[in-house]
Amino acid sequence: MKRIAFIFTLTLVLLLSFACSTSNRASKLAKNGDEIDLRLPSEENIKPSEIDTMKRPETIIVKDEEGNDMVLMNAIMDDETGEMVATEVLEAATISVRFKRVAERRGKIDLGFEVVVPATLLDNQWQMQLVPELYLISDQGTVLDFKELEKITITGEVFRVRQLRSYELYEKLLKSVSDSSRFKGGHALEVFMERNMPEIYRLKYDTNYVYTAADSTKIIEELENWYRLTGQEAIDHYSNHAALRKLKRKQAKAGVMRDPRNLDGVRVDSVVRAEDGNFICDYVETIATRPKLKKALIYVAGTLYDHNGKKIYSVPRTDSLEYNISSAAQLYKQQDRYLHKIIYRRAEANNSFNIDFKVGKYDVDPRFSQNAEVIKSIRSTLFSVLQNKDFDLDSVVVTANCSPEGSKMANDMLSRKRSQSVSNYFDSYMNHVVDSLNANRGFSVDEFGNIHKDRAILKIRFRSRSLAENWPYLNELMAKDSTLSDEDKKLYEDEVLSVSDWDARERTLRAKHFYPYVKDNLYPKLRTVNFNFHLHRKGMVKDTVVTTELDTMYKKGLEYLKDRDYDNAIQILRGYPDDYNLAVCYVALDRNLSALGILENLPKTPEVNYLLALVYSRQGDNKEAVQCYLDACRQNPTYKNRGNMDPEISVLIKTYGLNAQEEIPFDF
């Protein structure tokens, strides 16, 4: 329901006359303990507003447990026999209660109530201000939130007249305060300028002259140069200071006003004068659901003011109205989903490092270029792989790459020698690390006192591979480069890569205008050494093992649903299009067609049948709704109690007398 907050001022014409004064009446109110009443709207005890428009036929036919037809009609219980008898009209009785079950829809909850103000608290010289208070209670009984709702103001006729008169005086005073130009001594200032600055003063009567900013600057300069006086000082000198002081006193007085109108935070949805002279204010507050929210409490407190704005009586705080909140999210099903995962015995890990070599050289030189830092990083990587808790390292394949510079034959030989050189360099390092780890390996003692020493790490094999010229990586670098133009890249693809012979291709590239840039910036990136680690999973014999593990993402989506965080829940649960809990999320958001598309294809379990009853009832299909509800109750009788929590099902129960007996057949 969309509502606009507004000021609602009710002009009261009270026909009762009172002989006693305001003070005596206030004392009488305090003595009698006159108070307002807070209650649930009577019409909501019959049927919720959101399903008022649903058509409910007098007679429907559903299936019993054996599949036979049975006719259900509007029914009432006979007082003498205790039996249910059919009737064409089900008369609803209104029962005044202080608690109500309200349904959450689309993440919103409507809390409706009535504030009844007795005639004894109303007078044409008074104003009453009512403040509803809202408490949100968690499922643990703690207060999640508290706030004062928009005020209800009821103003008497005399009070209103005095208030409006006060505003007229107030606005008149403000107008006099804002018009301060008349307190400046303008004539005296003009005389001063006429006598002392005639050249500037004559411009006042020169109709052909256009006043500019330069003139203002000139006036200020002359005042400062000749009289050591600023323009503001001249204005202050010729001001009426007595009038200004009087103005300031008015300004101070204007800051205080009796009985100001509150232009924000006051709302009355409707006000009805009852036959007994009381006033009934209907109020609806819409709140957003939140995690752990179980119930809401509403109180109302009030204050009476006389026409002088003086507080004359504090209306006692009402007892609370309690709203137990029902949500379709409560119908979620606690379940886990699992993912099938294939675990492979063997695994690989790759790292690429830029070890620099001198031109035409292949020996690893730690002192050359940035090699010291690169070698340190490689050693750290090798040590981490050896320490891995899940995998054992079998071997390391070292592949050296060269740039296209030079002949293919020379690059092929150079890459092989560089690969072998790197393998030999780190092979000696790994032998030292393995010996050190084996020497310091620990042991464990089993329950029988046997000592088991940790398994020794086997010697790691290094294998050399080479790639003479790394054209594939050069192609990738060319495509991603932001310096080269699109024309340069197209020229490279069309004319350079079309040459199959690598030496001829490199000569073609060398003839292009962008070759110097490629040689200086891209070629060095091609001179890399790749380390490919071959590992196997510790203790695993088979090449593959299929395992199942908990789907943590689904579990997270279910937690969001339980906490009624529907936006996050639906983002995750959409990944499970045939899932019951996704249907629950759709029902909670009132997306009934989406929910129906899932539920109709699921096995008809009690929870599925109950959700179907909710959806069919919302769509006005009472035959299917009743049938699904009865099926759910036969499968699980606890749904009889649940049905009273959901307005859609509750109306079906009342209309057709579904839960009047322990068994539910009404065969007429």
Side-chain angles (χ1 to χ4, degrees):
M1 175 188 298
K2 182 179 181 182
R3 298 178 307 281
I4 301 175
F6 61 91
I7 300 294
F8 186 94
T9 303
L10 179 64
T11 302
L12 300 175
V13 180
L14 300 179
L15 301 179
L16 299 176
S17 60
F18 300 94
C20 56
S21 64
T22 298
S23 59
N24 290 336
R25 289 196 59 199
S27 300
K28 186 177 180 180
L29 291 176
K31 182 179 179 181
N32 295 339
D34 288 345
E35 57 187 34
I36 57 179
D37 185 25
L38 179 64
R39 68 190 188 192
L40 295 168
S42 56
E43 66 272 12
E44 289 194 5
N45 289 322
I46 300 174
K47 52 185 177 180
S49 58
E50 66 260 27
I51 52 179
D52 280 350
T53 58
M54 295 169 59
K55 296 180 180 179
R56 303 194 179 278
E58 299 297 326
T59 303
I60 60 176
I61 300 175
V62 296
K63 299 290 185 182
D64 62 14
E65 196 169 359
E66 286 75 26
N68 301 317
D69 290 345
M70 66 178 184
V71 180
L72 293 184
M73 300 177 64
N74 289 352
I76 61 173
M77 181 176 289
D78 187 283
D79 293 335
E80 296 182 1
T81 65
E83 297 179 353
M84 296 299 297
V85 295
T87 181
E88 291 298 324
V89 179
L90 178 63
E91 296 293 341
T94 300
I95 301 175
S96 180
V97 293
R98 302 204 67 80
F99 62 90
K100 184 182 191 310
R101 185 166 293 279
V102 291
E104 169 204 324
R105 293 295 179 264
R106 303 181 186 91
K108 302 291 183 182
I109 305 161
D110 289 338
L111 306 178
F113 56 92
E114 291 179 350
V115 181
V116 181
V117 183
T120 55
L121 290 175
L122 301 173
D123 189 275
N124 59 4
Q125 299 188 70
W126 296 347
Q127 182 186 78
M128 174 174 284
Q129 294 182 10
L130 303 174
V131 182
E133 301 172 354
L134 170 65
Y135 292 83
L136 300 181
I137 310 300
S138 73
D139 52 7
Q140 301 296 323
T142 59
V143 177
L144 292 174
D145 194 12
F146 162 78
K147 69 173 180 177
E148 292 184 350
L149 305 182
E150 296 166 343
K151 292 181 180 179
I152 303 170
T153 300
I154 303 176
T155 304
E157 181 182 24
V158 174
F159 189 101
R160 169 58 69 212
V161 171
R162 291 175 180 271
Q163 189 180 48
L164 294 178
R165 176 57 181 162
S166 178
Y167 264 87
E168 290 177 3
L169 296 175
Y170 177 73
E171 291 170 359
K172 183 178 180 180
L173 180 59
L174 284 182
K175 185 176 181 181
S176 68
V177 169
S178 62
D179 184 14
S180 60
S181 60
R182 59 190 178 88
F183 297 107
K184 303 297 181 183
H187 177 72
L189 183 59
E190 284 191 22
V191 172
F192 172 82
M193 294 181 65
E194 181 182 10
R195 292 175 178 176
N196 297 280
M197 292 179 286
E199 292 183 358
I200 296 176
Y201 181 75
R202 68 178 176 80
L203 299 178
K204 175 181 178 181
Y205 303 100
D206 189 350
T207 58
N208 296 320
Y209 185 79
V210 179
Y211 185 81
T212 65
D215 296 320
S216 177
T217 304
K218 185 176 181 181
I219 293 173
I220 294 173
E221 289 177 350
E222 288 203 17
L223 283 171
E224 292 179 349
N225 292 338
W226 292 97
Y227 304 100
R228 300 183 181 277
L229 185 69
T230 65
Q232 185 59 48
E233 289 173 338
I235 292 173
D236 291 342
H237 178 75
Y238 289 101
S239 296
N240 188 338
H241 293 285
L244 285 174
R245 285 193 295 272
K246 185 177 180 180
L247 172 64
K248 290 181 179 179
R249 288 195 296 271
K250 284 188 175 184
Q251 288 174 331
K253 184 179 179 182
V256 179
M257 182 184 173
R258 188 179 62 194
D259 301 335
R261 288 175 293 180
N262 186 1
L263 301 179
D264 297 304
V266 178
R267 183 197 68 203
V268 175
D269 291 334
S270 63
V271 177
V272 179
R273 178 71 177 269
E275 294 180 358
D276 57 5
N278 296 339
F279 281 80
I280 303 174
C281 308
D282 288 339
Y283 201 112
V284 177
E285 177 70 15
T286 300
I287 63 173
T289 188
R290 62 180 62 193
K292 313 299 183 184
L293 178 60
K294 183 179 182 180
K295 67 175 65 175
L297 301 178
I298 295 284
Y299 299 85
V300 173
T303 306
L304 275 177
Y305 298 90
D306 65 11
H307 65 274
N308 293 314
K310 180 182 177 182
K311 175 181 174 182
I312 61 174
Y313 182 62
S314 293
V315 183
R317 189 176 187 232
T318 65
D319 293 333
S320 67
L321 290 181
E322 180 178 317
Y323 300 84
N324 295 304
I325 298 168
S326 171
S327 171
Q330 296 168 340
L331 297 169
Y332 75 90
K333 183 165 61 176
Q334 185 63 52
Q335 61 184 14
D336 293 324
R337 293 182 73 116
Y338 293 89
L339 297 173
H340 294 290
K341 186 176 181 180
I342 300 177
I343 298 178
Y344 296 92
R345 180 178 183 273
R346 298 190 177 279
E348 292 186 14
N350 295 285
N351 284 85
S352 181
F353 300 93
N354 285 86
I355 298 178
D356 287 340
F357 296 90
K358 296 178 181 179
V359 178
K361 303 296 183 179
Y362 52 84
D363 291 330
V364 177
D365 187 351
R367 295 169 297 178
F368 182 66
S369 187
Q370 304 295 322
N371 283 352
E373 288 298 321
V374 175
I375 290 172
K376 181 179 179 181
S377 179
I378 295 173
R379 287 178 173 177
S380 176
T381 301
L382 291 170
F383 186 79
S384 297
V385 173
L386 277 179
Q387 294 286 78
N388 190 282
K389 296 180 180 180
D390 298 320
F391 291 92
D392 284 330
L393 181 60
D394 294 327
S395 62
V396 180
V397 176
V398 179
T399 304
N401 308 285
C402 292
S403 67
E405 188 177 13
S407 67
K408 179 179 179 300
M409 182 180 296
N411 287 331
D412 184 52
M413 180 184 66
L414 189 60
S415 64
R416 279 188 279 125
K417 289 185 177 181
R418 287 178 175 176
S419 176
Q420 187 62 51
S421 175
V422 172
S423 296
N424 294 338
Y425 184 89
F426 287 102
D427 181 65
S428 59
Y429 166 75
M430 288 294 284
N431 286 336
H432 172 73
V433 171
V434 169
D435 291 342
S436 177
L437 291 175
N438 284 333
N440 294 286
R441 69 184 188 274
F443 64 91
S444 59
V445 180
D446 62 21
E447 57 182 331
F448 303 106
N450 299 317
I451 298 177
H452 301 276
K453 200 167 187 179
D454 292 345
R455 185 167 53 88
I457 301 174
L458 301 178
K459 178 177 173 59
I460 308 303
R461 296 171 296 169
F462 278 81
R463 298 176 179 176
S464 301
R465 299 287 187 273
S466 63
L467 180 61
E469 298 178 3
N470 199 352
W471 284 101
Y473 190 38
L474 178 60
N475 298 341
E476 182 180 338
L477 293 175
M478 290 286 293
K480 293 180 180 179
D481 192 89
S482 59
T483 302
L484 296 171
S485 65
D486 292 338
E487 291 77 10
D488 294 340
K489 295 177 182 180
K490 190 174 187 312
L491 191 64
Y492 174 79
E493 292 178 2
D494 294 344
E495 298 187 12
V496 177
L497 294 184
S498 60
V499 181
S500 58
D501 182 77
W502 284 7
D503 289 338
R505 180 187 297 179
E506 205 274 334
R507 288 193 297 271
T508 304
L509 176 60
R510 204 182 309 167
K512 304 304 176 186
H513 66 277
F514 51 81
Y515 175 75
Y517 172 81
V518 173
K519 178 183 177 183
D520 295 337
N521 295 278
L522 303 186
Y523 272 13
K525 298 179 181 179
L526 304 178
R527 303 177 187 122
T528 61
V529 177
N530 295 326
F531 286 75
N532 187 276
F533 303 98
H534 291 261
L535 311 106
H536 71 269
R537 192 173 294 273
K538 291 182 177 180
M540 185 171 174
V541 178
K542 294 183 178 180
D543 290 337
T544 59
V545 174
V546 179
T547 63
T548 56
E549 61 182 33
L550 185 66
D551 190 339
T552 56
M553 185 59 69
Y554 179 80
K555 189 176 183 65
K556 187 175 182 180
L558 185 55
E559 290 299 319
Y560 282 132
L561 177 59
K562 290 162 60 177
D563 286 342
R564 304 180 194 177
D565 186 350
Y566 300 124
D567 290 338
N568 284 319
I570 206 165
Q571 290 297 324
I572 295 177
L573 296 178
R574 272 181 184 154
Y576 309 86
D578 59 345
D579 186 72
Y580 168 82
N581 285 321
L582 175 59
V584 172
C585 194
Y586 282 140
V587 171
L589 292 171
D590 212 13
R591 297 170 60 173
N592 300 306
L593 287 177
S594 298
L596 196 60
I598 298 174
L599 294 170
E600 288 183 334
N601 294 314
L602 294 178
K604 297 305 180 284
T605 59
E607 57 268 18
V608 171
N609 277 324
Y610 188 83
L611 275 185
L612 282 170
L614 274 175
V615 174
Y616 285 134
S617 179
R618 292 179 185 179
Q619 294 182 328
D621 190 345
N622 299 303
K623 179 180 182 301
E624 290 295 334
V626 170
Q627 183 68 69
C628 290
Y629 175 67
L630 294 178
D631 291 343
C633 292
R634 292 189 188 101
Q635 293 170 302
N636 186 348
T638 60
Y639 281 104
K640 294 181 183 180
N641 294 327
R642 171 69 203 195
N644 295 316
M645 299 182 184
D646 294 300
E648 300 91 340
I649 304 301
S650 177
V651 170
L652 294 176
I653 293 172
K654 293 176 182 178
T655 302
Y656 300 107
L658 299 182
N659 292 347
Q661 298 179 3
E662 186 174 348
E663 295 184 0
I664 315 177
F666 293 104
D667 195 355
F668 300 101

